[in-house]
Amino acid sequence: MVKAVAGDQVVVEGSHVMAHRREGQIVEVHDPSGAPPYLVHWTDTDSDSLFFPGPDAHIVHTGETG
């Protein structure tokens, strides 16, 4: 199960050849155990949305590199 905290980064890889990679910062985590959904601020659109990670997404925890 995916778990995150506010401040972590979410990366969504393109699911097909022409799709671009999306990156955002998790702004809010509603579940105390860190489970989704998350409120994410997306860098490409400078907007926030509620996000439930799929198989093409991964979390980069605060303090991790890469």
Side-chain angles (χ1 to χ4, degrees), residues 48-65:
D48 297 347
S49 68
L50 197 59
F51 178 71
F52 202 109
D56 56 346
H58 66 273
I59 304 297
V60 179
H61 299 286
T62 304
E64 283 185 12
T65 57

Side-chain angles (χ1 to χ4, degrees), residues 1-64:
M1 174 182 261
V2 178
K3 293 188 178 187
V5 297
D8 287 349
Q9 297 291 315
V10 61
V11 178
V12 182
E13 301 296 343
S15 58
H16 55 80
V17 175
M18 298 303 290
H20 70 281
R21 179 182 196 184
R22 291 191 83 193
E23 298 181 16
Q25 182 175 28
I26 297 174
V27 178
E28 292 180 8
V29 177
H30 299 269
D31 187 290
S33 68
Y38 309 122
L39 181 63
V40 175
H41 180 81
W42 298 104
T43 57
D44 61 342
T45 59
D46 196 30
S47 63
D48 297 347
S49 68
L50 197 59
F51 178 71
F52 202 109
D56 56 346
H58 66 273
I59 304 297
V60 179
H61 299 286
T62 304
E64 283 185 12

